[in-house]
Amino acid sequence: LTTQEDRLILMPGSDLNAVENALKSCETLVLYKAGKNLPAIVSLLEKYDLASKAGVVFNSEMPDREEVFSSLHEALEGSRSYLACVIVYVGRKGWKTVD
């Protein structure tokens, strides 16, 4: 999920203001229990041109019901569980070199 000194934030997807602040503070953001707010999360990611850098997993702890989407727009189609995990690679940092 991260490389070198990248920052990873893991948080619920319920508070969109907190999600927006987190996008400005990390290289990788993981949102759990994001299904209820998924349409709003997708809109927020589109605002920052990050929708194509995100994926969604529904019901990850239920092997017989697990669904994985690399496209957020596909994930919005149909009825889905609130048990959604969104992973966003913000990736603003470059590799650091050792002197």
Side-chain angles (χ1 to χ4, degrees), residues 64-83:
D64 57 326
R65 294 185 57 207
E66 182 178 277
E67 295 179 273
V68 179
F69 295 89
S70 58
S71 165
L72 293 180
H73 294 286
E74 273 186 45
L76 288 175
E77 297 173 8
S79 176
R80 304 282 184 232
S81 168
Y82 80 98
L83 292 173

Side-chain angles (χ1 to χ4, degrees), residues 11-60:
M11 62 187 289
S14 54
D15 181 344
L16 294 177
N17 289 325
V19 171
E20 186 167 17
N21 288 332
L23 287 171
K24 300 172 187 175
S25 305
C26 67
E27 285 70 35
T28 302
L29 176 61
V30 178
L31 303 172
Y32 56 88
K33 293 187 179 178
K36 183 177 179 181
N37 288 330
L38 190 57
I41 291 168
V42 171
S43 293
L44 181 62
L45 295 177
E46 286 174 337
K47 174 182 173 182
Y48 289 96
D49 199 28
L50 293 170
S52 65
K53 296 182 177 185
V56 183
V57 178
F58 291 97
N59 302 314
S60 64

